[in-house]
């Protein structure tokens, strides 16, 4: 039961991402979603995922996941983007090219 429930949620989130893409492709609309759900992130492309990190000075920086040198390559090799994010792969990297 647990596996089928998770699989169902995963497919639902993929559908939601497709709906968002279709809506934003129609015009100048942007949609920002915050999540703790790696399955949602799995449905995104690296250029669609923005990583926010709060600095010691209290200000946040924002980068696309595609700016991290290895991320797009790892996703192309079949690693899920949500898995990279959920395992803290994108956290605490000051130099995106250092990956």
């Amino acid at each position: 039961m647990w596996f089928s429930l998770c699989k169902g949620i995963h497919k639902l989130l993929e559908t939601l991402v497709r709906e968002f893409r279709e809506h934003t492709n129609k015009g100048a609309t942007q949609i920002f979603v915050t999540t703790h759900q790696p399955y949602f992130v799995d449905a995104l492309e690296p250029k669609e995922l923005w990583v926010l990190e709060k600095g010691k000075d209290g200000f946040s920086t924002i980068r696309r996941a595609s700016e991290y040198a290895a991320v797009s390559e790892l996703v192309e090799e079949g690693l899920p983007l949500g898995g990279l994010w959920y395992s803290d792969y994108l956290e605490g990297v000051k130099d995106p090219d250092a990956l």
Side-chain angles (χ1 to χ4, degrees):
M1 179 66 174
W2 171 250
F3 175 75
S4 62
L5 177 63
C6 287
K7 188 172 178 85
I9 290 172
H10 185 106
K11 292 296 181 191
L12 180 63
L13 293 173
E14 287 177 357
T15 301
L16 183 61
V17 168
R18 275 196 306 275
E19 291 289 328
F20 286 162
R21 278 189 193 118
E22 288 175 17
H23 183 72
T24 58
N25 287 336
K26 292 179 182 176
T29 302
Q30 292 182 335
I31 299 173
F32 283 87
V33 176
T34 61
T35 185
H36 292 277
Q37 179 52 262
Y39 294 129
F40 184 82
V41 176
D42 283 345
L44 300 173
E45 297 175 19
K47 68 180 182 180
E48 297 172 318
L49 177 64
W50 293 88
V51 180
L52 281 78
E53 184 176 16
K54 187 173 182 180
K56 292 180 182 178
D57 60 2
F59 292 95
S60 294
T61 58
I62 184 170
R63 290 189 180 103
R64 287 182 186 217
S66 60
E67 292 180 33
Y68 296 91
V71 170
S72 293
E73 293 172 21
L74 291 170
V75 170
E76 286 177 19
E77 291 176 13
L79 291 170
L81 187 57
L84 294 173
W85 165 67
Y86 198 70
S87 64
D88 297 334
Y89 196 81
L90 299 175
E91 289 186 21
V93 178
K94 299 301 179 202
D95 179 7
D97 295 323
L99 289 176

